[in-house]
Amino acid sequence: MAAMPEISFTEYAERRQRVLKHIGADSVAIINASTLKTRNHDAEYIFRQDSDFYYLTGFNEPEAVAVLIPNRAEGEYVLFCRERDPAAEQWTGYRAGIEGAKAKYGANESYPISQLAEIMPKLLANKDCVYYRMGMDWIFDKQVFTWLNGVRAQVRAGIKAPTTFKMLDELVHEMRLIKSEAELAVMRHAAQIAAQAHTRAMQVCQTDMYEYEVEAVIAHEFRRHGMETAYTSIVGGGKNGCILHYIENRDPLNAGDLLLIDAGAEYQCYASDITRTFPVNGKFSPAQKALYQVVLDAQYAAINTVRPDALWDDVHQAAVSVLVDGLINLGLLTEAKDKILADSLYRKFYMHRTGHWLGLDVHDVGAYKVEGEWRRLQAGMVLTVEPGLYIPAEEGIDPKWWHIGIRIEDDVLVTESGCEVLTAGVVKEISAIESLMAQGKGI
Ligand code: GLY
Ligand code: MN
Ligand code: MN
């Protein structure tokens, strides 16, 4: 089997070095892992690691805290985690343990998570500044302040308590915004499998199937490649396609309707995010075709703006301009283009923006504005480009358009010379969709 792309432990160590260098000698950075969340009674949701924690550690267990301490003689990276415990592991699975945290994950020192309250005040002693993600988790906030009080209690022994708390978010999120080659390899893989899943959905879709049956085909493609769903798949036929985050996925699919599928695979915690819209019975009606082509043209126009130095908002404005032209041509908007743009009248049919950053989070971190101005794109950023049109059933709108919901979404990497569409593996041209569906192919 071919080697699967992955992020090396050296790369995780380099990321921590960048944080250590940035925060400086008198500071400490604390990053907590995700906790298990109850689904019902004593059953939990599948564990998903906190993205910042994972980005800096590669450690995929709950009940862990990473502490970065510049210039510390005993080592700059301390990882608190669960101890090995054969009896507990028989019930809930393997643990790296204290030795694994050091040997495999590169911690200089590792302690049982049960010793956090005892050891943290010592790590914070005589430090000036604490970097952490305030307000993300109230229980953790309370713990941090308890440790602070633990240091304050020692002032008469000549120990100085931290005086400054800073947010760690911006530093780590700016790092996460620019993807490394290894991250891109992982993201390409997630994108490719997601594209395969959408292709299979088009191949299996038949009138009278249920939305969840198509969802199951997508989930099967993800799981057979060891991937998770990056977010709950949206599989909406007919008017359900007009609900932006429709996740019930339980209605039958009717001939003559479109099916909108927004589904992405997650690989090693990195997301892909694809939307395709296609006719349930394999043939676009003239009205569907006309609207679909407008959205597709808007998407091409938006993707065409993606290059270094373009403004984040250029991508959205390019899509809006083409969508508005199309809505005017089709008689769905009757005002002058200037007025439609100035008063955002298009929002009746296009109420979301054209994309978002993509990475460890599907709506990934990183600022969209810098010093009050739209951010300029840079090589290594990954964004989605996802224009859509959603036509309500309303008086004043020709019924031939009612309930048509269309979105087309791809994942796009900014390169030195322009861009690369990571999700090009699934078709989106009308003729290509129709011929793929005509070929069909069972479940
Ligand atoms: N799948 C959510 C989105 O496209 O933003
Ligand atoms: Mn998206
Ligand atoms: Mn999406």
Side-chain angles (χ1 to χ4, degrees):
M1 210 170 97
M4 290 294 128
E6 61 181 0
I7 315 284
S8 69
F9 287 107
T10 316
E11 184 161 332
Y12 289 112
E14 285 165 3
R15 295 172 184 174
R16 290 191 295 273
Q17 277 306 319
R18 282 182 67 185
V19 173
L20 284 158
K21 200 158 169 238
H22 184 277
I23 64 175
D26 291 329
S27 300
V28 177
I30 308 172
I31 310 104
N32 53 324
S34 279
T35 51
L36 284 164
K37 312 275 187 305
T38 302
R39 185 171 186 277
N40 63 76
H41 192 201
D42 55 356
E44 283 131 1
Y45 284 103
I46 294 171
F47 178 71
R48 168 54 159 77
Q49 188 55 281
D50 175 86
S51 297
D52 290 332
F53 182 89
Y54 192 71
Y55 181 78
L56 293 171
T57 66
F59 191 73
N60 203 13
E61 293 185 24
E63 295 187 72
V65 174
V67 190
L68 302 180
I69 313 158
N71 303 334
R72 181 166 175 269
E74 304 90 322
E76 297 180 308
Y77 174 29
V78 179
L79 183 60
F80 292 86
C81 63
R82 303 177 303 185
E83 290 176 273
R84 295 293 311 271
D85 177 344
E89 286 176 59
Q90 171 148 43
W91 287 87
T92 57
Y94 302 109
R95 300 174 175 187
I98 306 306
E99 283 314 311
K102 291 187 279 191
K104 181 167 180 200
Y105 293 93
N108 301 118
E109 283 192 318
S110 179
Y111 297 102
I113 190 78
S114 56
Q115 291 179 17
L116 200 54
E118 179 195 331
I119 296 174
M120 275 306 292
K122 295 180 187 150
L123 299 180
L124 297 180
N126 296 319
K127 294 293 174 188
D128 186 45
C129 177
V130 179
Y131 280 82
Y132 93 102
R133 299 170 304 161
M134 280 165 257
M136 292 259 301
D137 173 345
W138 295 110
I139 295 172
F140 192 71
D141 285 346
K142 206 168 156 211
Q143 274 181 290
V144 172
F145 293 134
T146 307
W147 302 329
L148 176 67
N149 285 334
V151 190
R152 283 174 174 155
Q154 303 175 65
V155 284
R156 280 187 294 282
I159 294 188
K160 193 169 126 345
T163 57
T164 312
F165 279 73
K166 286 191 178 168
M167 299 288 265
L168 183 63
D169 313 36
E170 189 183 349
L171 166 64
V172 176
H173 295 177
E174 287 300 299
M175 288 167 62
R176 281 174 52 188
L177 183 55
I178 308 293
K179 273 70 181 177
S180 68
E181 280 308 317
E183 287 180 292
L184 290 175
V186 169
M187 290 188 73
R188 277 193 187 94
H189 189 41
Q192 184 206 331
I193 299 306
Q196 272 173 222
H198 280 262
T199 303
R200 277 185 64 195
M202 288 181 199
Q203 289 171 322
V204 303
C205 183
Q206 303 275 343
T207 302
D208 294 336
M209 273 177 94
Y210 280 77
E211 291 165 343
Y212 52 74
E213 291 180 87
V214 183
E215 179 189 2
V217 170
I218 290 190
H220 178 261
E221 193 64 16
F222 294 173
R223 287 305 292 153
R224 82 189 189 95
H225 289 95
M227 300 197 187
E228 326 292 332
T229 47
Y231 50 90
T232 308
S233 299
I234 296 165
V235 184
K239 67 178 180 348
N240 295 339
C242 293
I243 301 170
L244 301 182
H245 287 169
Y246 170 82
I247 52 172
E248 286 87 348
N249 304 349
R250 65 168 70 107
D251 284 345
L253 296 169
N254 302 315
D257 280 350
L258 292 176
L259 173 58
L260 183 154
I261 301 180
D262 183 344
E266 182 181 279
Y267 185 59
Q268 293 186 14
C269 290
Y270 284 84
S272 52
D273 183 6
I274 301 181
T275 308
R276 289 292 184 266
T277 310
F278 55 89
V280 168
N281 61 3
K283 225 41 209 147
F284 285 87
S285 73
Q288 291 165 351
K289 214 179 241 188
L291 270 180
Y292 186 93
Q293 195 60 49
V294 170
V295 178
L296 186 59
D297 291 344
Q299 206 224 18
Y300 283 135
I303 291 173
N304 266 333
T305 65
V306 178
R307 69 178 77 89
D309 275 344
L311 294 173
W312 165 256
D313 198 43
D314 290 347
V315 186
H316 180 59
Q317 294 309 333
V320 167
S321 178
V322 175
L323 291 175
V324 168
D325 287 342
L327 289 165
I328 293 171
N329 285 341
L330 298 176
L332 279 152
L333 287 174
T334 50
E335 296 82 354
K337 185 171 184 183
D338 287 355
K339 181 168 172 57
I340 292 169
L341 293 175
D343 297 348
S344 301
L345 300 178
Y346 58 84
R347 287 184 62 85
K348 183 179 179 70
F349 306 114
Y350 182 45
M351 60 297 285
H352 58 81
R353 287 190 60 89
T354 303
H356 48 83
W357 306 130
L358 184 73
L360 284 167
D361 294 321
V362 62
H363 294 168
D364 208 27
V365 292
Y368 291 92
K369 280 194 169 180
V370 177
E371 293 170 2
E373 301 295 331
W374 290 113
R375 179 165 214 145
R376 290 195 182 276
L377 300 181
Q378 262 172 262
M381 292 174 169
V382 180
L383 58 144
T384 66
V385 180
E386 50 179 306
L389 286 174
Y390 314 90
I391 315 296
E394 268 182 30
E395 211 177 311
I397 297 174
D398 187 330
K400 73 177 175 186
W401 308 117
W402 287 5
H403 296 313
I404 297 182
I406 297 165
R407 182 163 63 254
I408 306 171
E409 174 174 27
D410 281 299
D411 304 343
V412 182
L413 163 68
V414 186
T415 62
E416 296 294 344
S417 58
C419 70
E420 174 190 336
V421 178
L422 304 180
T423 44
V426 51
V427 296
K428 57 186 174 184
E429 289 286 339
I430 290 173
S431 57
I433 290 174
E434 288 186 343
S435 69
L436 179 72
M437 293 185 74
Q439 288 160 23
K441 199 166 170 220
I443 297 269

